[in-house]
Amino acid sequence: MAGRDFGHHLGLPRALSGLPLSPLVPGYGALVAAQHSAGLRHVGEALAPAGVGLAVLDGLYVPSGARGRRRVDEALLNDLSRAATPSGTVAGLLADACRRDPQAPRRIVLYQLIGLLQDRPAAERPSAAAELGVQPAEAAGLVAAARLRPALDRRQRDAAESLADAWKRHRLHRVRALLEQLPKSGRDQDLETLRATLAARLAVVDAALKAAREADGRRDAKAASEEYLRALHEAADDRRALRGLVRVHGPRGGRPALLHAELAWEQVELSWQDTEAEEDHDWRLLCLFRDAKGAARVREVALDSTGLTARDTAVALGSTVRYAALPVRDGRATGPPLVSHRVLVAPDVTGLTLADGPRRVAGSWQQPPGAADVTVECTGPEGTTGQLRPGTGGFTATDLPVGSHAFRVVCHYRAPGGALVLSPGVRATRTVHPWPEPVRTLTARADGEALRVDWTGAQGAEVRLVRWPGEAPAPGTELRTDELPPRLDEGGGLLRPPAGSLRLASVAVLGERALTGPAVDVETLSPVTGLAARRLPDGQAEITLDWPDGAGHLSVAWELLDLSEGGSTGGERTVTAHAFRRGGLRLPVGPRGVRIRAAGAPRSPDAVVIPATTADVVLPPDAAIDYRLVRPPRKFFGRGGGPTVLRVTLSAPGGHPSVPEFVCVARSGTLRPRSATDGTTVLRIPGTDLTRHGMVEQELPAAPCPAPYTLRGFLLGEHAAAVRLEEPSPATLVVR
């Protein structure tokens, strides 16, 4: 029966005589992904309903009508691709492949069908061919093809399916490596043609490389560049041509590179300018490096959206890399590359800061995340160099002499091969300056209304006494002189602090540097002003004063002036500002003379208190003068037996030093005189007489004014307000 062996005469015109080992279609991976997404076993199922009646031997056909068939061409594939289904997407990709190569759809279907049959046992292949939708008349030929074509393992299939993409990108060495993985059966004529074409193109590459090396020997850089570029144009993955171009066009003698490469943490940032006159080209960025075994390698780096910048995040710490940016068109180099300087991928620390202190320098930095270790070298003013062992993120070098000290901070990395690689290092210089000796102790005591301060330590330094605006820094804090608040002293130990509480701190100063010392709390009391006292009838005294600003408490004391009668000598009371303003102040002083003193009370029990002048006032004894008319007793027939007498009595326990003059005034009628001048003066009794005798009686003159008249007494003199005048009923003072 005809058709038993694929490739024999089957009675079908244009039957294939070769068996495809590779689909040889660029973008085959995307096609397979769309096929799997559509749930198809092979792409032929996207061409006919359920893939039934598919013919592959004499071209690629699908059923059409009741008994006819239709060749699969670009027009059919375009019609099928218009369906909004996953199968339509597969048909669209096949249409793209057909436009490039009309034989591509049949090669793809035949390649996939043979592969599917080879995955089945030989006995099951006839039934499997029918299950896959192949026409019954062609099933035997397809089974024969699966028997004759070499079976490919997974690695060989990957190579076969990658060939077209590598060839399209002009990766000739990649194509050669893939072809070497495939069997040389001679049955795939397209593959044999590819091998022959590849050999011819590689011969062109070898000839160009030979010419480039000869030009290198003549030191003809231009000719060498042209030949290397010709080789790279032919084989885009030729590392020899790429390294030759990098060597020829690399920057010389420390000159800036056209391809700028800057090392950052865990990446290399690259940028360049478009130097090509023509704009219809792209850029291909390559990284040249050596692997862990020291072999030269080339890796492609993805470009940013601008096309002229990139970030290489795949660099290995501890390695040395170089970059080349090639202008390309259709995957081929169109001009010489832009080459960067070599970059040692060993980032240094960032943010290095140095601060000096007494005989020391402290440093801090941000350490790169991949650094295995960090070391610090210190070179002193005499040129001697020593190693410091830093801690995490910094170091402190102590016992340093005065002078300039240079520091170099180096990061250590493990290269891919295991070698220890050092970063270039960050250098900085700091000068150790003379610092003052600190103040050891600080003492203060009140000296009258001033403060006397003494200290120990700070030999050879200037000591300042200051008041910090906020919380005082701890003793030993290192500062600059321009950071200090204004001093309170005038260079000596005696000062007059302002009223209120403050923390007086000491600072030792030497040049521009200062050390804070101990502090003491000082409270300066404000004086009490406006102190006055007024007696009340119940033996108390009402105290008035001007409350000092900022004072929380006042201490008020009273002392009896006359102690002849024994008893209490006085007392003391602490008064708060709130209580004083709310209810005033009354003291139980009694009737005797008393001295009242008022002074501020300290708020803090631990503060050094500077007292203020004590305010005092003397409240005389509780003295009173009363007077009354003593009329003679009446005799028979209603006549008086003698003159009318005015009796004036002084009541002053313990005596009174200042008794005013008593004056009696008469006024006609029954209205009382309003003042000592509102009427006729009847009599005067000096205060000395009252003090000496206690009681004085004087006769009234006969008819000092027309009767009836009314009498009234008054106290005159500077002490009139210090003595109470007790007046009798006005009716008893009318004389008729």
Side-chain angles (χ1 to χ4, degrees):
M1 179 178 176
R4 304 186 108 192
D5 292 326
F6 190 86
H8 292 186
H9 178 66
L10 302 178
L12 301 174
R14 299 184 62 189
L16 292 176
S17 60
L19 304 180
L21 278 171
S22 168
L24 288 181
V25 175
Y28 182 77
L31 175 64
V32 171
Q35 167 196 332
H36 291 164
S37 178
L40 306 178
R41 292 172 296 178
H42 57 87
V43 296
E45 291 184 323
L47 307 179
V52 177
L54 192 66
V56 295
L57 299 183
D58 186 24
L60 184 62
Y61 293 89
V62 295
S64 176
R67 300 175 60 88
R69 64 178 186 173
R70 179 180 177 181
R71 179 184 294 274
V72 177
D73 54 12
E74 184 179 348
L76 174 62
L77 292 172
N78 287 334
D79 291 341
L80 295 175
S81 67
R82 294 187 181 97
T85 62
S87 296
T89 303
V90 176
L93 294 174
L94 283 173
D96 294 338
C98 186
R99 276 190 288 273
R100 293 191 298 268
D101 179 8
Q103 296 298 321
R106 186 168 58 170
R107 286 187 61 87
I108 296 171
V109 173
L110 198 55
Y111 171 80
Q112 290 189 349
L113 289 173
I114 292 175
L116 290 172
L117 290 179
Q118 288 179 337
D119 291 340
R120 304 286 289 271
E124 298 178 5
R125 290 176 183 176
S127 60
E131 293 174 2
L132 293 172
V134 178
Q135 281 186 359
E138 295 191 357
L142 189 62
V143 171
R147 184 179 65 253
L148 293 175
R149 199 203 74 172
L152 304 179
D153 58 23
R154 182 69 265 173
R155 184 176 64 89
Q156 289 174 320
R157 287 185 182 182
D158 291 340
E161 293 166 7
S162 303
L163 269 174
D165 286 328
W167 182 261
K168 180 181 179 181
R169 299 175 65 188
H170 311 288
R171 307 294 175 88
L172 301 189
H173 296 286
R174 170 68 173 163
V175 171
R176 180 172 59 184
L178 294 174
L179 286 173
E180 289 174 354
Q181 299 180 38
L182 300 179
K184 297 181 180 180
S185 66
R187 293 182 179 273
D188 189 340
Q189 296 302 320
D190 290 333
L191 209 58
E192 295 304 318
T193 301
L194 178 65
R195 283 193 172 97
T197 305
L198 174 65
R201 291 182 62 179
L202 288 177
V204 173
V205 172
D206 291 339
L209 290 174
K210 180 180 178 182
R213 286 192 291 270
E214 292 174 353
D216 270 339
R218 300 191 307 270
R219 300 200 177 191
D220 188 348
K222 182 178 180 181
S225 175
E226 291 175 353
E227 294 299 334
Y228 282 130
L229 191 60
R230 184 162 69 95
L232 195 63
H233 180 84
E234 196 69 30
D237 60 346
D238 193 284
R239 297 176 184 172
R240 297 166 298 174
L242 177 63
R243 287 195 295 270
L245 284 171
V246 168
R247 184 173 60 253
V248 171
H249 293 280
R252 297 284 190 272
R255 298 165 111 184
L258 296 178
L259 174 57
H260 179 66
E262 183 176 355
L263 178 63
W265 281 7
E266 299 182 313
Q267 66 181 10
V268 177
E269 298 177 353
L270 302 119
S271 61
W272 63 95
Q273 298 292 329
D274 198 338
T275 57
E276 291 288 296
E278 300 180 5
E279 297 183 357
D280 58 338
H281 69 274
D282 298 319
W283 288 92
R284 183 181 174 207
L285 182 62
L286 301 173
C287 174
L288 290 78
F289 65 100
R290 293 189 179 274
D291 60 16
K293 297 181 180 179
R297 293 286 184 265
V298 177
R299 173 172 50 82
E300 192 158 352
V301 181
L303 303 181
D304 292 341
S305 58
T306 62
L308 297 175
T309 59
R311 287 186 298 273
D312 187 5
T313 59
V315 288
L317 292 173
S319 62
T320 300
V321 296
R322 190 173 228 181
Y323 295 90
L326 281 165
V328 295
R329 187 182 300 110
D330 297 329
R332 291 184 167 184
T334 60
L338 307 180
V339 183
S340 73
H341 287 290
R342 284 187 173 87
V343 179
L344 174 62
V345 187
D348 278 310
V349 300
T350 59
L352 175 62
T353 59
L354 299 177
D356 69 287
R359 295 180 58 80
R360 75 169 188 277
V361 172
S364 62
W365 55 76
Q366 288 81 48
Q367 180 174 325
D373 194 11
V374 177
T375 56
V376 180
E377 295 179 356
C378 175
T379 303
E382 297 179 355
T384 56
T385 300
Q387 293 286 334
L388 301 176
R389 192 66 183 175
T392 302
F395 71 91
T396 300
T398 57
D399 296 330
L400 300 180
V402 172
S404 179
H405 295 260
F407 297 88
R408 178 171 175 256
V409 183
V410 180
C411 292
H412 298 225
Y413 297 90
R414 286 291 174 186
L420 187 65
V421 177
L422 305 183
S423 70
V426 178
R427 300 177 184 272
T429 302
R430 192 72 180 185
T431 300
V432 175
H433 297 84
W435 283 77
E437 179 187 336
V439 177
R440 303 297 179 187
T441 63
L442 181 69
T443 57
R445 69 180 189 279
D447 188 351
E449 296 183 3
L451 184 71
R452 185 167 296 279
V453 182
D454 297 303
W455 58 81
T456 62
Q459 294 295 324
E462 175 192 7
V463 176
R464 298 185 187 180
L465 302 176
V466 300
R467 178 183 187 178
W468 294 99
E471 185 177 354
T477 302
E478 300 162 8
L479 300 171
R480 295 296 184 266
T481 306
D482 56 7
E483 299 175 348
L484 300 180
R487 63 190 304 171
L488 296 179
D489 61 321
E490 298 178 356
L494 189 66
L495 66 157
R496 299 181 181 275
S501 299
L502 64 86
R503 171 158 287 189
L504 188 67
S506 59
V507 181
V509 177
L510 184 62
E512 298 180 355
R513 283 155 180 78
L515 282 178
T516 59
V520 294
D521 292 323
V522 178
E523 185 173 355
T524 303
L525 302 181
S526 299
V528 177
T529 59
L531 179 63
R534 182 175 69 88
R535 283 192 177 275
L536 300 175
D538 56 356
Q540 297 194 75
E542 182 181 34
I543 308 301
T544 58
L545 52 84
D546 298 328
W547 194 274
D549 292 338
H553 300 77
L554 291 184
S555 176
V556 181
W558 63 96
E559 177 186 3
L560 298 182
L561 300 178
D562 181 13
L563 303 179
S564 60
E565 298 182 8
S568 174
T569 61
E572 186 174 358
R573 180 177 297 175
T574 300
V575 185
T576 66
H578 175 71
F580 179 80
R581 294 189 177 100
R582 183 182 61 183
L585 176 60
R586 295 185 179 187
L587 301 178
V589 297
R592 288 181 287 175
V594 64
R595 181 183 298 275
I596 300 173
R597 294 184 175 89
R603 288 173 174 264
S604 173
D606 300 326
V608 178
V609 178
I610 302 176
T613 302
T614 302
D616 66 346
V617 64
V618 174
L619 189 62
D622 187 12
I625 296 176
D626 64 16
Y627 64 98
R628 65 188 60 234
L629 283 177
V630 181
R631 301 176 188 274
R634 288 184 176 273
K635 294 184 179 182
F636 295 106
F637 307 109
R639 296 180 181 271
T644 300
V645 177
L646 185 66
R647 181 183 296 166
V648 181
T649 305
L650 171 65
S651 175
H656 198 286
S658 304
V659 178
E661 180 185 21
F662 178 81
V663 176
C664 184
V665 177
R667 179 181 177 183
S668 294
T670 58
L671 295 178
R672 302 172 63 196
R674 292 186 297 271
S675 65
T677 60
D678 185 19
T680 302
T681 301
V682 176
L683 56 84
R684 291 177 178 271
I685 301 176
T688 54
D689 292 350
L690 290 173
T691 302
R692 185 167 54 253
H693 302 293
M695 184 182 69
V696 176
E697 293 183 349
Q698 286 192 12
E699 295 182 1
L700 293 178
C705 59
Y709 59 88
T710 303
L711 301 176
R712 187 178 182 185
F714 295 94
L715 299 179
L716 300 180
E718 60 178 333
H719 303 296
V723 179
R724 289 196 321 274
L725 180 63
E726 296 182 352
E727 298 189 66
S729 172
T732 64
L733 297 177
V734 178
V735 180
R736 299 183 183 278

